Amino acid sequence: MHLLLAITGDPKAQRWIEAFQRQLPDARISVWSDDAEPVDADYAVVWHPPAALFTRETRLRAVFNIGAGVDGLLSVPTLPADLPVIRLEDAGMSVQMAEYVLHALWEVSRDFAAYRRQEPEGNWKVLPVTRREQWTVGVLGLGQVGRRVAEATASFGYPTAGWSRTPREIAGIETFAGSDALPAFLARTRVLVNVLPLTDDTRDILAAPLFAQLPQGAHVINVGRGQHLVEDDLLAALESGQLAGATLDVFRTEPLPAEHAFWRHPAITVTPHTAARTLRAESVAQIAGKIRRLESGEDAGGQVERGRGY
Ligand code: NDP
Ligand code: OXD
């Protein structure tokens, strides 16, 4: 069995090879190179692969995406329509995302950001105690990652709701499903967390009409994709006071250009797409397990439904 790795942007290809070789000792492993001959790979493991991969490697039985979001892979024009696309399912990402969101939530709900602003002035001012019931959290997307985020905020006593495409039941979480339920979900949400996949239905969802349905002074945390957010609408909502702040991990253009207005905006916190990193050992173990299942004719799990885009 032949495995081809095409992990754009990761200079440590050798470590991926070693990790896969440990998990799949009988596999042949190649690394993609623009000018190599076809290797007739059975499986490709990719992150933002070059379009030429799918025209050169025509015997692939499945492609594994080493991330949860497959928007980058699905947009490769040469990706065959019938090639199974398999994504990472959690693989150590959801706990990182829960940490990230809790940190961003506590910055505002526990006034840590405000205390940091007081520090340079030597200002010993104790701010009002946090009333958790006033810090309603709403999570857009209740999948592998969003569910863990919602459970984490709920476990600290923040009234938490989640929104998904199909109805979900999660203990301790108020759940909403479908576009008809979105207004009610937004109306009760003071801290909005976006963990949706990027699809035709969710692109540009974080825009003026949605912001207008949140309570005034709401906070937005975007850890989904940059293309979910209409940037000018965010700036306008902050300017008008409809939103009080935003914590952003993902951007339409990454890296976020140094001159971008978000970097220096006092109400925006920027992190460089780091909310939940792909962990090599966990990812390789998961993909190797899926390959073994495929090789024995079983369902691998995590196969993307191409029609719905996630
Ligand atoms: P899943 O596929 O497990 O979950 C997706 C969730 O979104 C599901 O609950 C799904 O609903 C819901 N959803 C999808 N489309 C719609 C829609 N049109 N309306 C309402 N709900 C919808 O994905 P993951 O949780 O694994 O990952 C989610 C995204 O998080 C990734 O696609 C990626 O973009 C982002 N991500 C970002 C990272 C970062 O570092 N910033 C790291 C990891 C992920 P249903 O349950 O009904 O199917
Ligand atoms: C992912 C990501 O989708 O890192 O996994 O954004």
Side-chain angles (χ1 to χ4, degrees):
M1 184 256 295
H2 200 140
L3 197 61
L4 175 65
L5 308 184
I7 304 174
T8 304
D10 190 338
K12 297 184 182 148
Q14 191 56 34
R15 300 210 184 149
W16 285 91
I17 298 177
E18 288 159 8
F20 272 112
Q21 207 74 79
R22 275 194 297 275
Q23 288 282 341
L24 299 167
D26 297 331
R28 282 183 63 200
I29 300 178
S30 304
V31 175
W32 171 262
S33 147
D34 284 343
D35 42 19
E37 293 297 311
V39 295
D40 289 339
D42 299 291
Y43 302 107
V45 177
V46 305
W47 184 247
H48 292 284
L53 188 147
F54 299 107
T55 47
R56 190 192 299 168
E57 293 300 325
T58 54
R59 299 206 180 158
L60 289 172
R61 281 143 62 190
V63 56
F64 292 89
N65 185 59
I66 57 158
V70 288
D71 44 291
L73 176 53
L74 296 188
S75 68
V76 175
T78 53
L79 181 72
D82 56 352
L83 181 64
V85 171
I86 300 176
R87 68 189 196 88
L88 284 183
E89 297 177 283
D90 191 342
M93 283 188 279
S94 72
V95 66
Q96 298 177 63
M97 198 66 98
E99 282 171 344
Y100 182 99
V101 169
L102 281 173
H103 180 268
L105 169 64
W106 289 334
E107 281 282 281
V108 289
S109 71
R110 291 294 316 274
D111 288 316
F112 292 130
Y115 286 124
R116 256 198 323 281
R117 285 193 295 275
Q118 291 181 188
E119 253 184 80
E121 302 150 13
N123 183 0
W124 182 280
K125 182 180 168 203
V126 179
L127 297 167
V129 77
T130 300
R131 304 297 324 174
R132 277 178 185 66
E133 64 276 12
Q134 293 171 3
W135 287 92
T136 46
V137 176
V139 182
L140 293 166
L142 286 175
Q144 298 280 340
V145 181
R147 180 187 177 117
R148 179 78 179 252
V149 168
E151 287 173 342
T153 59
S155 77
F156 279 91
Y158 292 91
T160 300
W163 183 68
S164 52
R165 197 176 52 83
T166 57
R168 301 277 158 194
E169 268 184 41
I170 307 173
I173 315 289
E174 193 184 355
T175 53
F176 296 79
S179 43
D180 289 352
L182 188 58
F185 164 84
L186 295 171
R188 49 77 58 213
T189 292
R190 181 170 178 187
V191 177
L192 181 72
V193 184
N194 174 43
V195 203
L196 288 167
L198 180 65
T199 68
D200 290 344
D201 290 337
T202 65
R203 188 180 311 277
D204 296 333
I205 187 171
L206 302 177
L210 178 145
F211 298 148
Q213 296 176 69
L214 293 167
Q216 194 171 24
H219 192 97
V220 170
I221 301 172
N222 187 21
V223 287
R225 284 290 183 262
Q227 291 85 347
H228 284 132
L229 175 68
V230 179
E231 297 186 344
D232 286 344
D233 287 7
L234 174 69
L235 292 170
L238 290 168
E239 179 69 29
S240 72
Q242 176 57 22
L243 293 181
T247 306
L248 308 176
D249 185 56
V250 286
F251 304 91
R252 285 185 180 259
T253 304
E254 295 183 4
L256 185 66
E259 65 281 4
H260 198 288
F262 287 173
W263 281 113
R264 278 160 284 276
H265 196 294
I268 297 179
T269 299
V270 168
T271 53
H273 199 144
T274 191
R277 305 278 284 271
T278 294
L279 303 177
R280 191 182 307 111
E282 287 82 345
S283 305
V284 169
Q286 184 177 105
I287 293 168
K290 287 174 188 287
I291 289 176
R292 279 188 224 104
R293 286 201 290 281
L294 287 177
E295 290 287 297
S296 33
E298 294 166 48
D299 177 24
Q303 184 165 337
V304 169
E305 280 187 36
R306 300 285 286 277
R308 65 177 198 189
Y310 73 98

